[in-house]
Amino acid sequence: MTHLQELENQSVYILREAYKHFDHLAMLWSMGKDSTVLLWLTRKAFFGHVPFPLIHIDTSYKIPAMIEYRDRLVREWRLNLVIGQNKEALAAGMNHTRGRGVCCTALKTDGLKNLLAEKGYTGVILGIRADEESTRAKERYFSPRDKNNEWDFRDQPPELWDQFKTTFPPGTHIRIHPLLDWTEVNVWEYIKLEHIPFMDLYLDRGDGTRFRSLGCAPCTFPIQSSARSVDDIIVELRQTTVAERSGRAQDEGRGMELLRKDGYM
Amino acid sequence: MLTTLTKPRESLTIVIVGHVDHGKSTLLGRLYADTKSLPDGKLEKVQAICQQQGKEFEYSFLFDAFLEEQEQGVTIDTARTFFTWDARQYIIIDAPGHREFLKNMISGAARAEAALLVIDALEGVKEQSKKHGYLLSLLGVKQVAVIVNKMDLVGYRQDVFAGIEKEYREFLSRLKVEPERVVPVSARHGDNIASRSARTAWYEGPTVLETLGLFKKETAPTEQPLRFPVQDVYKFDARRIIAGRITAGRLKVGDRLVFSPSNKTANVRTVEAFNLEKPLTEAQAGESVGITLDEQIFVERGEIASSQDTIPLVSTAFRANVFWLGRRPLEQGRKYQLRLATREVACEVAAFHRIMDAVDLDQRQGGTVVHRNNVAELTIRAKAPLAFDPSGAFEATGRFVIVDEYDIAGGGIITELVHDEQEFLRDEARRRDFAWAKGEVGTEERAQQYGHRAAMVLFTGPAHTGKAFLARKLEALLVAEGRHAYLLDADNLRVGLDADLEEKDVAGVAEMIRRYGEVVRVLIDTGLIVVSTTNAFGAAHTQAAQAIMTLVHPAPVVAVHMAKSDDEPPPNTDLAFAGPKDFDAAARQVMDELKRRGVLAHSIGEKPKYQYSI
């Protein structure tokens, strides 16, 4: 069995555990490479079906091409898409110039919180990976969030032998992370292997730059790259010593620790 | 970093364990720094934070991500980190060494294929060095290398190293663990991490980096007999797919499968997949698969499929080595949830054989309480029979976790089956089910025609509580609704079927119960709802109820207990009535339970809604 097959089998097992144990289950889909791979794995796990809704937390600052790609896959794969948006904060003019942490918290964390409360989801599947960033390296596959959506990283439940935390007190919910053991290269290798459609924002379209990680337009910056195909990306990533999220402004300083403690993805 | 240009041939998961402050995180940080595996700017970023906070840079800060971890200089939770070396990708899990965080260490170690166990050369073998060593053996981590760190603090002396090596090898040998290597290092100064150090000229073995390369990749046990725990049954489209991950062996189209503990059998019709050009015909250990069967049998999550000649063990009890992590201690009399592969069933501790202090492995006899972070040898009794294996033979189906309230609070490995009183009848039922000749009309067709599944409603309890009266009412109510129900009074078998048996004889009564159970089994195969009481068996009514359930298993049995007072009902009771006055209401409650269990469709003419029989 290849490493990619090992990863796929483990992720499929986790997705099926999530589906079995959570009546109110949903998956976050940002249209980025990771959550699209996750969506593909879901179709694998359930033999072509996606038996729960997908959530897109729309900050309104996403790159327009992402929304086009989203709507195309929703049609082609017959997905049940739920869009969450913190309309109040947007109406009050929230944007990144008010501080990145403030903006991420309002439009993403709170946007998600509000939607979870409104829909009553108790299980939320996310495509985060341990190698992205150091607080995510400490996550569990099934990670509880308390009544305030907060992550108590000081006291995480034990998780062993593919037995996960699937019971939880009322009012709390569980975040499920099937891609935790995947690396950035693994994600691209899998996209190549399975011919998964992805956005060309990840490729150099002639100006010598590409996006390595996608977020909101004002806070995501392209990297210098001449990668014009998935193969080029894989070769580039095997050589690089630059962190994946170097183009993501929210990671500066202790940004992610504080954001994630409060319920950020 | 030329080595990373080619695709790694495999991936290996390693855990770093050992006593607190013995330098696990420093070792990890150093390994990354010296192999140039850190992303650009990471070292500088952490150094800048240290400078800002006015403290000395430590390699351990590279992975102790949380502010609290850095402030206290202690790892709280495991971090998964990745690096590639010599065409192999490593996922390295840095586990905390503080006893407070043992549950985190276990979470990290349980998924590792090999371990580096770090011991401080100055402090020597400490409490957690031993406990972690013991837990690695319980968790099934077989490849262990010992890293003797901080050799700089003992002047790189060979005799100090040799003393620790001897002491710890002796300890490990008692656990039947043989360390692959024992390596002297100084993580802080980089001795013997990525390159050989001149300061330990007396040492001829591998560096830490070379030691990683010597660990072998663990492969899924494809050559063992088949074990396929059912994870779920899907009916998204025309296919009824049985999904799960094969934990041992292999299966292919046409194979005859036996599902334990229900003893249902069927052949594999297809191996299902998504996005494959040509259909699969086989699958093997490690794969998350879906199969369809040639017969519409009712199997559910928790059962284990195997081939007929190598079925797993089935019992309600087994003996096990258990480690406890719960906030509340593991105690006698308390109910827990047992999870073994995909099976979940209520359980309790039937016997405490010995409770051990994992540090000295000395035995403390007696107690009936296992405190947090202790280890014990126990007999565990489950509420219903389950399929399992001894952990020495099958890893994945030989281990389990115990859930207390909302959290996994312990884990264990099964050492042996404990015989229970139902074993004889269970074996009989299995032989009978395997040999059962079926007609053309299947269970499913009968259920669709009748508007209900076959089942048994069994009234239990002492004499003069109205069992027979309620049973008659229920039969009448069911038939009036158009259901196919039949009241089977055991007394009716006495003069005919049981004419050769002596009622005053214990063996005679046991045989009456057995014959009665077999008659019910036949009636259930006809699609009936059999209503009955244990009245005819007098004082042996509790024994009778258990035996009947074993013989009609896996057909649903709704056990209704009737007593004069609110006494504790026997195990496996579904409904309990204490001296009911309104028998009509009681009968309706039983009907509701039958609906809840999916035996009755909600109204006549409606198709029954249970997904498992479709």
Side-chain angles (χ1 to χ4, degrees):
Chain A
M1 194 178 285
T2 66
H3 182 51
L4 277 189
Q5 285 170 324
E6 277 179 24
L7 291 171
E8 178 191 273
N9 281 301
Q10 175 73 354
S11 299
V12 165
Y13 188 82
I14 291 168
L15 285 165
R16 289 177 176 170
E17 283 299 281
Y19 180 60
K20 182 73 203 176
H21 288 284
F22 294 87
D23 292 335
H24 303 283
L25 182 67
M27 179 186 280
L28 283 196
W29 183 38
S30 69
M31 292 82 72
K33 62 190 191 310
D34 304 308
S35 57
T36 304
V37 161
L38 191 56
L39 174 55
W40 187 267
L41 286 164
T42 303
R43 300 174 83 214
K44 278 225 156 177
F46 306 108
F47 306 96
H49 301 266
V50 180
F52 36 73
L54 300 175
I55 298 175
H56 174 216
I57 300 300
D58 190 356
T59 60
S60 82
Y61 295 110
K62 295 284 172 191
I63 301 165
M66 296 173 75
I67 304 298
E68 284 164 31
Y69 168 82
R70 178 190 78 185
D71 294 342
R72 177 166 69 85
L73 287 194
V74 165
R75 270 195 317 276
E76 287 175 6
W77 293 354
R78 287 171 295 142
L79 306 172
N80 174 8
L81 183 74
V82 176
I83 297 170
Q85 195 167 54
N86 190 346
K87 296 204 173 72
E88 258 172 54
L90 284 171
M94 177 57 70
N95 69 73
H96 69 286
T97 61
R98 302 204 180 166
R100 289 199 176 97
V102 177
C103 183
C104 278
T105 298
L107 298 184
K108 291 177 84 174
T109 312
D110 291 344
L112 176 63
K113 261 187 219 181
N114 297 346
L115 188 75
L116 294 185
E118 182 195 331
K119 301 276 183 184
Y121 297 126
T122 52
V124 185
I125 306 171
L126 294 90
I128 64 161
R129 307 190 330 267
D131 79 326
E132 279 179 276
E133 170 275 315
S134 53
T135 70
R136 287 174 179 160
K138 300 205 171 218
E139 272 286 7
R140 299 282 199 261
Y141 294 119
F142 284 62
S143 181
R145 294 292 182 276
D146 69 12
K147 288 182 180 171
N148 302 316
N149 283 258
E150 280 175 23
W151 179 38
D152 185 3
F153 57 80
R154 288 171 221 84
D155 190 17
Q156 300 200 70
E159 184 168 81
L160 56 150
W161 299 329
D162 287 342
Q163 300 287 356
F164 309 112
K165 181 174 170 68
T166 49
T167 47
F168 49 92
T172 66
H173 75 273
I174 306 270
R175 301 269 175 103
I176 299 148
H177 304 133
L179 295 187
L180 220 44
D181 291 339
W182 294 60
T183 62
E184 186 184 7
V185 178
N186 296 149
V187 166
W188 284 110
E189 286 168 341
Y190 193 70
I191 287 172
K192 178 182 158 156
L193 182 75
E194 294 282 325
H195 308 288
I196 302 171
F198 65 94
M199 285 179 283
D200 66 359
L201 292 167
Y202 284 110
L203 300 176
D204 167 23
R205 289 157 299 154
D207 63 353
T209 69
R210 71 177 192 91
F211 286 97
R212 198 170 152 192
S213 174
L214 284 172
C216 295
C219 297
T220 306
F221 310 102
I223 56 160
Q224 299 295 316
S225 168
S226 56
R228 289 175 177 239
S229 67
V230 178
D231 282 316
D232 290 349
I233 292 178
I234 292 169
V235 170
E236 177 190 290
L237 292 177
R238 288 216 181 104
Q239 297 175 67
T240 188
T241 53
V242 176
E244 175 182 3
R245 296 174 60 89
S246 56
R248 297 292 286 271
Q250 63 197 184
D251 285 34
E252 279 166 22
R254 292 211 160 268
M256 281 306 274
E257 177 179 346
L258 299 170
L259 276 171
R260 298 205 68 245
K261 211 153 91 176
D262 284 341
Y264 188 80
M265 297 77 177
Chain B
M1 294 273 287
L2 273 175
T3 49
T4 60
L5 277 176
T6 48
K7 185 178 167 66
R9 65 191 145 82
E10 61 190 18
S11 173
L12 196 76
T13 306
I14 310 263
V15 66
I16 306 183
V17 298
H19 196 75
V20 65
D21 280 341
H22 282 198
K24 296 177 291 300
S25 302
T26 307
L27 174 71
L28 183 69
R30 192 80 208 198
L31 192 63
Y32 275 71
D34 288 4
T35 55
K36 306 206 172 6
S37 303
L38 292 169
D40 286 357
K42 171 100 182 181
L43 198 64
E44 293 75 12
K45 178 180 166 184
V46 176
Q47 280 169 337
I49 292 176
C50 287
Q51 202 172 17
Q52 209 177 357
Q53 293 170 357
K55 60 183 175 188
E56 203 184 330
F57 168 77
E58 303 247 2
Y59 280 98
S60 60
F61 294 162
L62 289 167
F63 297 107
D64 281 342
F66 299 130
L67 182 62
E68 280 176 66
E69 292 181 313
Q70 293 180 8
E71 280 179 353
Q72 296 174 23
V74 81
T75 306
I76 292 176
D77 213 328
T78 53
R80 279 181 184 76
T81 64
F82 300 77
F83 93 110
T84 301
W85 191 260
D86 201 12
R88 191 191 245 179
Q89 179 191 287
Y90 294 92
I91 299 180
I92 301 195
I93 299 169
D94 179 24
H98 198 287
R99 56 179 306 169
E100 254 324 275
F101 308 125
L102 196 72
K103 66 179 166 62
N104 298 342
M105 174 268 170
I106 282 176
S107 303
R111 65 174 119 259
E113 294 161 273
L116 298 177
L117 196 144
V118 180
I119 298 175
D120 183 326
L122 190 62
E123 286 202 4
V125 177
K126 299 290 277 190
E127 178 193 328
Q128 301 300 318
S129 323
K130 287 187 170 179
K131 195 166 250 179
H132 286 189
Y134 182 75
L135 285 168
L136 288 176
S137 76
L138 262 190
L139 290 166
V141 182
K142 291 173 198 82
Q143 307 184 76
V144 180
V146 178
I147 309 298
V148 180
N149 188 25
K150 307 195 190 179
M151 286 299 292
D152 52 316
L153 300 184
V154 295
Y156 298 95
R157 275 166 52 196
Q158 186 179 7
D159 60 324
V160 176
F161 172 76
I164 291 171
E165 174 171 5
K166 182 167 181 290
E167 181 186 353
Y168 202 70
R169 271 187 189 276
E170 273 174 16
F171 171 79
L172 286 181
S173 70
R174 286 199 280 156
L175 307 172
K176 300 185 176 61
V177 173
E178 172 82 25
E180 315 258 313
R181 307 283 160 186
V182 183
V183 189
V185 310
S186 166
R188 175 180 283 234
H189 299 290
D191 298 303
N192 295 333
I193 306 293
S195 59
R196 189 161 296 280
S197 169
R199 289 179 278 213
T200 52
W202 44 266
Y203 174 73
E204 290 173 346
T207 61
V208 171
L209 191 58
E210 287 162 347
T211 301
L212 295 182
L214 292 168
F215 286 132
K216 288 175 203 70
K217 174 73 190 162
E218 272 197 359
T219 50
T222 52
E223 301 314 314
Q224 282 196 311
L226 174 69
R227 292 292 182 266
F228 176 43
V230 177
Q231 189 176 7
D232 210 341
V233 180
Y234 299 134
K235 187 76 181 61
F236 297 120
D237 45 42
R239 300 167 293 179
R240 180 170 172 269
I241 298 175
I242 297 174
R245 189 174 191 167
I246 300 172
T247 59
R250 46 182 81 229
L251 60 78
K252 60 179 189 306
V253 169
D255 280 359
R256 184 139 195 89
L257 300 185
V258 171
F259 293 84
S260 297
S262 76
N263 302 324
K264 294 284 177 71
T265 57
N267 296 325
V268 178
R269 191 174 63 184
T270 59
V271 177
E272 294 293 328
F274 167 74
N275 196 39
L276 282 188
E277 277 165 26
K278 59 175 187 192
L280 295 172
T281 54
E282 56 184 21
Q284 62 178 36
E287 295 177 1
S288 288
V289 299
I291 59 168
T292 64
L293 300 173
D294 66 344
E295 268 184 79
Q296 305 293 0
I297 56 168
F298 166 39
V299 291
E300 57 186 341
R301 178 179 164 98
E303 296 199 53
I304 298 176
S306 69
S307 66
Q308 189 165 328
D309 47 359
T310 50
I311 57 171
L313 303 174
V314 174
S315 182
T316 52
F318 54 77
R319 198 169 164 128
N321 293 327
V322 173
F323 51 86
W324 193 249
L325 307 165
R327 282 188 197 92
R328 294 194 296 202
L330 176 69
E331 288 173 312
Q332 191 144 45
R334 197 195 286 278
K335 295 269 191 297
Y336 300 94
Q337 285 295 116
L338 176 83
R339 288 198 202 160
L340 188 150
T342 55
R343 182 71 194 268
E344 184 162 350
V345 61
C347 76
E348 60 184 324
V349 180
F352 292 77
H353 304 292
R354 55 180 193 151
I355 298 166
M356 285 169 288
D357 179 14
V359 178
D360 293 324
L361 300 182
D362 57 2
Q363 305 166 19
R364 272 186 282 150
Q365 303 283 348
T368 54
V369 178
V370 184
H371 289 285
R372 185 178 199 172
N373 298 347
N374 274 337
V375 186
E377 221 179 288
L378 311 169
T379 292
I380 291 182
R381 186 172 295 280
K383 195 179 164 196
L386 71 156
F388 58 86
D389 288 295
S391 66
F394 290 88
E395 204 165 63
T397 45
R399 60 197 185 191
F400 58 91
V401 298
I402 297 172
V403 177
D404 184 14
E405 206 179 7
Y406 296 114
D407 278 321
I408 291 171
I413 57 174
I414 296 174
T415 52
E416 60 183 310
L417 172 136
V418 172
H419 299 280
D420 62 17
E421 61 277 8
Q422 299 298 314
E423 191 176 46
F424 177 78
L425 289 178
R426 195 178 294 128
D427 285 348
E428 173 192 307
R430 182 184 297 132
R431 280 195 305 276
R432 171 248 285 151
D433 283 349
F434 285 174
W436 197 272
K438 293 172 186 165
E440 287 298 309
V441 183
T443 310
E444 162 59 9
E445 282 166 274
R446 281 187 212 283
Q448 295 290 358
Q449 285 296 325
Y450 293 175
H452 62 79
R453 287 175 71 194
M456 180 179 200
V457 181
L458 182 63
F459 291 91
T460 64
H464 309 298
T465 48
K467 294 192 295 296
F469 185 68
L470 184 53
R472 277 160 204 283
K473 260 209 178 319
L474 180 68
E475 183 198 26
L477 196 58
L478 282 165
V479 172
E481 258 203 18
R483 318 288 185 174
H484 299 66
Y486 180 70
L487 175 72
L488 178 68
D489 193 320
D491 279 330
N492 291 343
L493 306 186
R494 197 174 295 238
V495 183
L497 187 61
D498 296 338
D500 58 328
L501 297 179
E502 181 53 63
E503 272 176 62
K504 293 182 185 68
D505 179 9
V506 174
V509 173
E511 178 60 11
M512 279 172 64
I513 294 170
R514 190 190 70 80
R515 287 183 191 179
Y516 176 76
E518 289 292 346
V519 171
V520 176
R521 169 66 177 80
V522 172
L523 291 179
I524 280 179
D525 204 50
T526 70
L528 282 181
I529 297 172
V530 180
V531 181
S532 189
T533 74
T534 52
N535 281 354
F537 305 109
H541 64 88
T542 311
Q543 177 200 346
Q546 294 305 316
I548 292 162
M549 286 185 199
T550 301
L551 287 169
V552 305
H553 175 82
V557 176
V558 174
V560 184
H561 187 71
M562 300 185 63
K564 285 174 182 158
S565 60
D566 281 321
D567 289 343
E568 174 87 351
N572 300 315
T573 296
D574 298 294
L575 282 176
F577 295 111
K581 291 189 179 62
D582 186 347
F583 281 83
D584 290 321
R588 279 193 298 276
Q589 246 178 290
V590 179
M591 299 280 282
D592 288 344
E593 177 67 12
L594 286 168
K595 281 181 185 152
R596 198 188 63 77
R597 293 273 291 266
V599 173
L600 298 184
H602 283 264
S603 64
I604 295 291
E606 189 185 355
K607 300 261 180 194
K609 277 197 195 115
Y610 36 93
Q611 59 151 348
Y612 31 79
S613 89
I614 295 165

